[in-house]
Amino acid sequence: MDEEKLAKMEEMFLQTSKPKLVVKSKKEDKIKKIGCIYDATNQGKNALVLATALAKSLETNLKVFAADDFHSKLTIATEEIREKEKEISSFVENIAREEQVATEVAALISKKMDNILSYLEEDSIEEDKLSTLIIEKIKKEKFNLLVAGSPMLRTREEKGYFGFYLRKLLRDHSIEADFLLVPNELVESDNLILGLTNYRQKQGSVEAILRKGLALSKWINTIKMIGIIEENTIQTVARSELPDNTESRENIAEVKERIEGKYRDLLESFEIEDYNLSTEVNIGVITAIVKLILEKYKPKLVIVKNNSKFDENLDPEAETLARITLNEGYPILLEFGEDVK
């Protein structure tokens, strides 16, 4: 985020009075249909257990897609067979060379097997890929919430932390569901929902997170709302206020106190019906802050608002929070609802 945008955001927070906004449940917030992708990985099993618990608590429908990336397994098998072909031929050739005997080697493989291997070695068209099938099925079902392991359909990290398949789902604008991502190893947790929002994110993110928490109140009715202010954000705002675009300790301290106060006022201005709500603000390096918060509160679930844009369906701020949370062993719900002001 550039200095001009940060300056406008600072002005917005400065102009914010202390409105008492009561967050109420809305019809469109209700979770009516939950989807889950189950595979043979540990994160897939965790996703299934969590999706089942949610469906039971919220008394809603659950549909599970049981899937595995058999193509990747067959690809590995194909490579192993082709390598074995070379290996047995090379063995015979080496013996012949050592004994100085003119030898012709002919590797034999059945026509059916050769046809299968040749087919598997061809590039698949987009319509035949598992990723395309998963996306089309999810679009058709119109889930309110999609629960999946991270990375999905993989036992290890590949092509980014989310894995190839999950990243394709997260990047698809046509999928309107919120995503609840579950890591490989879950740590022991308390009966608490933790809302995380970064000062850089839009102001309406707080209300969006609280409304999603309210939709889950039958499952857990205690929420802690945490506002995060990064040190470099304070420094950027401080520099923007000085004519020569420099900064001083006094200026930084004043900006830090002002931003923290206004951000705390914003969080404390919210009330939520039938919910135990508390708030706090933390300042520092985002990775360290989130790790400390998670270790301190051990939430059952973390909620983050994803403020998507036309050219990127996954907000970089939300993605950063998701990566840290999953890496620490906690499930995270990315709220993909309507964009906020």
Side-chain angles (χ1 to χ4, degrees):
M1 184 176 292
D2 57 35
E3 294 187 4
E4 183 179 353
K5 290 182 179 179
L6 278 173
K8 289 182 179 179
M9 184 171 289
E10 163 70 351
E11 182 180 356
M12 175 187 70
F13 277 104
L14 286 172
Q15 293 174 350
T16 302
S17 58
K18 294 185 179 181
K20 284 296 180 181
L21 177 59
V22 179
V23 180
K24 297 182 179 181
S25 179
K26 295 184 179 181
K27 185 178 180 181
E28 59 267 29
D29 295 332
K30 186 177 180 181
I31 299 175
K32 301 177 181 178
K33 193 172 185 181
I34 298 174
C36 176
I37 299 176
Y38 167 74
D39 54 45
T41 63
N42 199 53
Q43 58 265 32
K45 295 175 185 176
N46 290 338
L48 178 61
V49 170
L50 183 52
T52 303
L54 280 171
K56 183 177 181 179
S57 296
L58 302 180
E59 299 176 341
T60 190
N61 295 324
L62 172 65
K63 183 161 186 175
V64 180
F65 293 115
D68 202 342
D69 188 7
F70 298 112
H71 184 268
S72 66
K73 294 178 173 63
L74 290 173
T75 299
I76 294 172
T78 300
E79 293 172 351
E80 290 176 346
I81 292 172
R82 291 302 192 196
E83 189 61 35
K84 190 66 176 179
E85 278 187 288
K86 296 177 183 177
E87 183 183 317
I88 58 178
S89 296
S90 297
F91 181 81
V92 176
E93 290 170 353
N94 289 337
I95 295 295
R97 190 179 302 110
E98 290 174 4
E99 299 299 328
Q100 297 181 345
V101 176
T103 305
E104 181 180 352
V105 183
L108 300 179
I109 186 169
S110 70
K111 184 175 178 58
K112 183 177 183 180
M113 179 58 67
D114 192 49
N115 287 339
I116 291 173
L117 294 175
S118 297
Y119 176 76
L120 291 172
E121 289 168 337
E122 292 177 2
D123 292 332
S124 300
I125 60 175
E126 194 65 33
E127 290 76 11
D128 292 340
K129 293 181 179 179
L130 177 60
S131 56
T132 301
L133 174 64
I134 292 174
I135 290 172
E136 290 304 316
K137 288 289 185 180
I138 290 173
K139 285 164 57 178
K140 182 179 179 181
E141 294 292 339
K142 299 185 183 301
F143 296 118
N144 301 114
L145 184 65
L146 181 65
V147 187
S150 178
M152 194 177 85
L153 299 174
R154 288 287 189 270
T155 56
R156 64 186 188 279
E157 181 177 330
E158 281 189 26
K159 295 187 177 180
Y161 188 80
F162 297 126
F164 170 76
Y165 290 95
L166 183 54
R167 179 159 289 281
K168 288 203 73 171
L169 294 177
L170 291 169
R171 295 291 182 186
D172 197 303
H173 286 265
S174 61
I175 298 175
E176 299 179 355
D178 294 331
F179 284 81
L180 201 170
L181 310 182
V182 188
N184 177 47
E185 297 293 336
L186 287 170
V187 302
E188 186 177 348
S189 60
D190 293 330
N191 205 37
L192 168 74
I193 291 177
L194 190 68
L196 291 181
T197 182
N198 194 325
Y199 180 84
R200 291 174 178 268
Q201 290 182 297
K202 297 179 180 179
Q203 186 177 2
S205 298
V206 179
E207 181 180 356
I209 291 171
L210 294 178
R211 283 174 56 185
K212 186 56 61 180
L214 187 56
L216 297 169
S217 59
K218 286 186 178 180
W219 182 51
I220 297 176
N221 68 349
T222 301
I223 187 167
K224 181 82 177 180
M225 192 71 217
I226 306 287
I228 299 172
I229 305 173
E230 296 180 73
E231 290 283 4
N232 58 3
T233 298
I234 294 174
Q235 292 169 3
T236 301
V237 173
R239 284 195 299 269
S240 69
E241 294 183 350
L242 295 176
D244 54 357
N245 203 34
T246 59
E247 60 185 47
S248 66
R249 289 184 179 179
E250 293 78 11
N251 177 239
I252 291 176
E254 188 275 327
V255 170
K256 180 178 181 179
E257 183 179 356
R258 189 174 72 237
I259 290 179
E260 181 181 6
K262 288 296 180 180
Y263 204 24
R264 181 173 286 106
D265 288 345
L266 172 68
L267 296 181
E268 292 177 350
S269 69
F270 287 93
E271 295 179 357
I272 186 166
E273 58 182 18
D274 302 324
Y275 229 115
N276 299 315
L277 172 65
S278 58
T279 64
E280 69 178 60
V281 174
N282 285 262
I283 301 175
V285 178
I286 189 166
T287 302
I289 292 175
V290 176
K291 285 184 177 181
L292 288 172
I293 290 170
L294 294 173
E295 184 178 352
K296 179 180 179 181
Y297 294 108
K298 294 180 171 34
K300 197 87 168 180
L301 176 68
V302 175
I303 303 179
V304 170
K305 178 69 177 81
N306 178 71
N307 298 306
S308 59
K309 300 178 182 178
F310 180 76
D311 58 341
E312 53 177 27
N313 200 44
L314 185 60
D315 170 22
E317 303 293 340
E319 180 173 351
T320 297
L321 293 171
R323 285 176 179 274
I324 301 170
T325 301
L326 290 167
N327 192 56
E328 293 301 304
Y330 296 90
I332 185 164
L333 193 160
L334 291 171
E335 209 282 316
F336 271 76
E338 293 184 3
D339 204 4
V340 294
K341 296 181 180 179

